[in-house]
Amino acid sequence: MNRPDRIDADACYRALCSHDARFDGQFFTAVTSTGIYCRPVCRVRTPRRENCRFFAHAAQAEHAGFRPCLRCRPELAPMERHWSSEDASAILLQQATLWLDDPQHWHDSEGNMGERMAARLGVSDRHLRRVFEDQLGVSPLQYLLTRKLLTAKQLLADTDLPITQVALVSGFGSVRRFNAAFFEHYRLNPTQLRRQIGTRDSDQGTTVRLGYRPPYDVAATLAFFRQRLIEGVAFVDEQQRFGQTLRMDIGERSHRGWLIAEFDETRNQLVLRVSDELREVLPQVIHRLRAALDLDADPGAINAVLHGAFPAGDGLR
């Protein structure tokens, strides 16, 4: 059974009504009366059940003609990392979307991107397109375009990067193509998503927010890094902040700077601040930090498995 058919619309609507953050990123609600799609945690007025359509991925909602909500901002949601040990197509799709989610692949020309990804996964380009259509109802290129646009949307809303630079770091070959794709999908010009950021101190860096699902164990995560940090390179403090210096080699260029990540548990978000030297590779920094901190994990599912394997009181032997 393909992925969209597994969506339980009634269960999704109950999660939507309760704004349950545990389901953030696991589905998106599209409202037919507004043409907008939202995260389950969105605090706008709950739409009527008959006006709701539910999608497992943002790419599906956008392919169906819906635009992302400007309030809950779907680009902040943790990504879905569902996989199955029995369904070969689901495993292939999981590996393909992991590849497409990595910004280092966004600058490949669209003409050979599909072939490169298929070769990497050991299947034909045609078979990979068929799996995407069967599982998600969109093509690999449509999925990739959604990832690029949502990244650009976040950079436009949260940073003062020039639009030309936003287009380039989001994987678009030109500003003209970026503007055309943005208007076609969102019916907005990029400048319309600019927020009033105010005067920015370059010494304070650039700040963006990243979502995660509860019940995320912040204390345990920071304790893990505290035990393994290198003095003078990284730190973990009592304000639930993690920071380190960073070097990223992208193409033939090397980017060196620093990052500081602070957990905002009331919003289930990580506040990330990076130095100006890393602004050009901000999508790559975000991608690697999400992986390092496992921000796309489903803690509820993990806890259920671990509690079953290690009942209370048994401990690890």
Side-chain angles (χ1 to χ4, degrees):
M1 184 180 295
N2 62 34
R3 184 70 199 278
D5 289 343
R6 287 204 292 264
I7 286 286
D8 184 334
D10 291 332
C12 288
Y13 190 71
R14 290 194 297 270
L16 171 66
C17 292
S18 63
H19 307 292
D20 194 331
R22 293 175 298 173
F23 296 95
D24 192 14
Q26 295 190 0
F27 72 89
F28 295 91
T29 304
V31 184
T32 57
S33 58
T34 63
I36 302 293
Y37 74 93
C38 300
R39 300 157 63 189
V41 296
C42 191
R43 290 292 174 175
V44 298
R45 182 177 179 181
T46 304
R48 296 168 62 90
R49 173 65 180 84
E50 58 267 26
N51 293 336
C52 294
R53 293 179 60 187
F54 300 99
F55 298 94
H57 287 271
Q60 295 172 326
E62 295 197 3
H63 183 59
F66 294 93
R67 306 187 306 279
C69 176
L70 299 182
R71 181 168 180 177
C72 70
R73 302 179 58 193
E75 70 271 17
L76 300 186
M79 286 179 281
E80 226 295 300
R81 294 301 182 219
H82 172 86
W83 64 277
S84 168
S85 61
E86 299 177 356
D87 188 339
S89 293
I91 295 173
L92 179 61
L93 179 70
Q94 170 74 355
Q95 295 303 311
T97 54
L98 283 171
W99 198 89
L100 291 173
D101 290 338
D102 189 340
Q104 70 174 318
H105 301 133
W106 294 355
H107 296 276
D108 293 341
S109 65
E110 294 183 354
N112 65 19
M113 182 276 296
E115 294 179 0
R116 279 194 59 205
M117 179 172 60
R120 172 84 176 182
L121 297 174
V123 298
S124 69
D125 185 26
R126 179 181 179 184
H127 177 65
L128 189 60
R129 291 197 307 270
R130 183 166 56 245
V131 168
F132 265 80
E133 291 291 345
D134 289 344
Q135 297 281 317
L136 298 181
V138 300
S139 70
L141 287 179
Q142 289 168 333
Y143 180 93
L144 177 61
L145 181 58
T146 296
R147 290 252 46 88
K148 290 180 177 181
L149 287 172
L150 288 177
T151 297
K153 182 176 178 294
Q154 179 175 22
L155 297 181
L156 287 169
D158 289 350
T159 77
D160 61 354
L161 284 171
I163 290 179
T164 299
Q165 193 171 7
V166 169
L168 295 179
V169 302
S170 300
F172 291 90
S174 70
V175 178
R176 180 185 61 80
R177 294 183 65 186
F178 169 62
N179 287 336
F182 210 90
F183 187 79
E184 179 183 356
H185 278 71
Y186 298 158
R187 305 200 249 309
L188 293 171
N189 292 317
T191 52
Q192 292 178 272
L193 285 181
R194 278 293 191 197
R195 295 189 174 189
Q196 192 65 34
I197 298 177
T199 303
R200 185 179 67 87
D201 185 347
S202 60
D203 292 337
Q204 297 300 312
T206 296
T207 301
V208 294
R209 287 180 173 267
L210 314 176
Y212 61 85
R213 301 181 186 95
Y216 186 96
D217 195 335
V218 173
T221 300
L222 292 178
F224 175 89
F225 284 96
R226 184 181 292 111
Q227 293 174 358
R228 293 162 176 82
L229 61 80
I230 300 175
E231 292 290 342
V233 175
F235 74 87
V236 175
D237 64 20
E238 298 303 320
Q239 284 73 47
Q240 295 189 322
R241 294 189 306 174
F242 163 80
Q244 71 171 64
T245 57
L246 186 66
R247 169 182 167 177
M248 297 192 69
D249 296 323
I250 306 297
E252 298 180 353
R253 295 188 59 188
S254 181
H255 304 264
R256 294 177 173 87
W258 52 261
L259 66 82
I260 297 176
E262 181 176 0
F263 284 92
D264 181 355
E265 294 190 77
T266 60
R267 297 185 179 183
N268 299 310
Q269 291 182 348
L270 183 78
V271 182
L272 170 64
R273 187 153 48 94
V274 302
S275 63
D276 281 357
E277 294 83 0
L278 296 175
R279 279 156 60 94
E280 292 184 20
V281 291
L282 187 52
Q284 288 91 336
V285 174
I286 291 173
H287 178 76
R288 294 190 185 184
L289 186 65
R290 294 198 72 92
L293 299 179
D294 209 9
L295 297 183
D296 296 317
D298 183 351
I302 293 171
N303 290 342
V305 172
L306 293 179
H307 288 166
F310 305 105
D314 282 5
L316 296 175
R317 297 186 175 89

